[in-house]
Structure formats: C-alpha cells, structure tokens
C-alpha cells in the first residue's frame, strides 16, 4: 500500500482516485469497488464488527485506498503500512454536509447491495450517528479531520482540497505534474445521483 486516503466521502475522493491512478498510483480501492466486487462486503462487515482483517488479501492488486470503507481504518492501515503516505481530503464543512445529504445520506437505500448498510454501520461507529442533524454531522466531520491530523505525523500527511489541483498532490508524492492533463473533477452530486 503506497497511499492511504483518510478523507470522508464527498470530499473529492473519486477525483483523487482518478488523479492518483493517472500518476501511476493504481489501481485505487474506493467504495465503488464494493459494487464491482460484492464478495468483499463480507470482509468489510467482519472488520466493522472488530474481527481481524487480512489487509494483504483484501487489498490484493491495489496500491492505494481512498474513500469509505478504507478511510475508516486509516489508523490500522497506517500502522500496517508504515511507508504509505496519508492524504486527508477536506472541504468546507457546510458544503460537505449539503453534498453528503443529497447523495450518500439519502440515496443509499436504493442501491441493491449490502455495501450501503455496511457503510452506514461503519459511519455510525465512527461518530456519524444522526444524518438529519446537520450540526451533529458537521461537528463529527470536523472532529474526524482533527483526529486524522493528530494521529498521522505531519511529514507523512497531506491535508488536501481537490480544488488545489495537481501541484500539492504531486509535490507530496514526489512526482511530476502531468503535462496538458487537467485535474479530474468527478462525481458531483448530480453525477452521483445518476450513477445510483
């Protein structure tokens, strides 16, 4: 594992996934993998229950994880892979809540998979317990981000807004900025709703 994403969903994780793969850090494990590999859901459900996880088996073939469910285990993963860099994607908390409310908080039930329930259980376990309480969720979001910054050593962590583009990401990873390739901006709320 080369890169561990610790940012919560709706902070640009899909854009980051595609950007990292463009930079050669791929393939990247993201929540959408669970819809393509439903056999993984059972392993994540076991992890949510606190059972031991064979991270090498789960992430076999992947160099990076961003978004849920991997982000929820950033502490365990950062200890298991001490050389991996950690990226905390962030955004304005009010805008984050609006985006999350219009997507992952209210549309999960329509997906025909156990993955959304597992993701909900995991989010609840991490303090995101009442999606309808805007203030509570924003406080949980801010607390999550602060905990990541406290847990991960500063030299190993990039706190990053995807609107910053290639430069801080490439500088952190020690790679060149792609020439003539715009930074990917994907999975806005409307795109997410259509996908679901």
């Amino acid at each position: 594992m080369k890169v561990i994403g610790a940012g919560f969903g709706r902070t640009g994780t899909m854009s980051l996934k595609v950007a990292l793969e463009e930079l050669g850090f791929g393939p990247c494990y993201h929540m959408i993998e669970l819809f393509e590999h439903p056999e993984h859901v059972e392993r994540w459900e076991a992890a949510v229950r606190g059972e031991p996880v064979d991270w090498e088996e789960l992430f076999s073939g992947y160099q990076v994880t961003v978004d849920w469910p991997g982000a929820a285990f950033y502490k365990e993963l950062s200890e298991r892979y001490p050389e991996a860099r950690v990226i905390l994607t962030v955004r304005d908390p009010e805008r984050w809540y609006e985006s999350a409310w219009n997507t992952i908080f209210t549309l999960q039930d329509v997906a025909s998979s156990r993955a959304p329930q597992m993701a909900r259980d995991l989010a609840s376990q991490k303090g995101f317990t009442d999606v309808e309480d805007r203030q509570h969720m924003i406080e949980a979001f801010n607390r999550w981000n602060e905990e990541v910054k406290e847990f991960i050593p500063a030299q190993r962590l990039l706190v990053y807004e995807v609107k910053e583009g290639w430069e801080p990401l490439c500088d952190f990873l020690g790679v060149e900025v792609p020439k003539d390739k715009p930074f990917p901006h994907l999975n806005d709320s409307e795109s997410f709703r259509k996908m679901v």
Side-chain angles (χ1 to χ4, degrees):
M1 188 65 57
K2 293 182 178 177
V3 179
I4 299 162
F8 203 82
R10 308 312 300 164
T11 59
T13 57
M14 179 62 80
S15 297
L16 179 60
K17 166 187 162 54
V18 173
L20 288 168
E21 289 176 340
E22 181 69 39
L23 294 172
F25 294 89
C28 178
Y29 200 102
H30 182 281
M31 182 71 186
I32 61 169
E33 296 297 309
L34 293 178
F35 296 99
E36 296 172 17
H37 299 284
E39 70 276 11
H40 290 191
V41 175
E42 191 172 329
R43 297 178 198 167
W44 286 110
E45 288 172 336
V48 172
R49 291 191 299 268
E51 297 172 18
V53 180
D54 183 340
W55 296 116
E56 281 72 24
E57 181 186 2
L58 184 56
F59 289 121
S60 177
Y62 295 92
Q63 295 188 59
V64 176
T65 181
V66 300
D67 199 70
W68 235 232
F73 295 93
Y74 77 89
K75 290 180 180 178
E76 295 89 335
L77 292 171
S78 67
E79 290 173 346
R80 177 66 190 88
Y81 301 101
E83 301 301 314
R85 299 295 189 101
V86 180
I87 300 174
L88 174 62
T89 44
V90 296
R91 70 185 294 189
D92 173 78
E94 296 284 345
R95 292 188 57 154
W96 166 78
Y97 181 81
E98 287 297 324
S99 177
W101 176 255
N102 288 315
T103 54
I104 57 178
F105 294 162
T106 54
L107 294 178
Q108 290 181 19
D109 292 325
V110 301
S112 57
S113 166
R114 286 170 27 210
Q117 183 59 51
M118 178 276 299
R120 257 194 311 273
D121 292 345
L122 187 51
S124 180
Q125 189 183 90
K126 299 298 180 181
F128 296 83
T129 52
D130 184 0
V131 299
E132 294 184 5
D133 184 339
R134 180 188 194 101
Q135 194 56 40
H136 160 75
M137 293 299 285
I138 288 174
E139 287 171 5
F141 177 72
N142 288 332
R143 187 168 53 249
W144 174 269
N145 291 338
E146 289 307 310
E147 286 176 5
V148 173
K149 289 187 262 187
E150 287 172 14
F151 188 82
I152 302 295
Q155 68 274 15
R156 193 179 171 194
L157 177 68
L158 173 65
V159 180
Y160 178 65
E161 289 192 54
V162 293
K163 68 181 182 182
E164 296 176 84
W166 289 118
E167 283 75 12
L169 181 62
C170 293
D171 185 54
F172 178 67
L173 297 172
V175 297
E176 289 188 17
V177 173
K179 290 182 172 42
D180 304 320
K181 291 225 173 170
F183 189 88
H185 292 286
L186 305 168
N187 203 22
D188 60 24
S189 295
E190 188 57 35
S191 300
F192 181 93
R193 294 171 73 91
K194 286 179 182 173
M195 178 183 70
V196 172

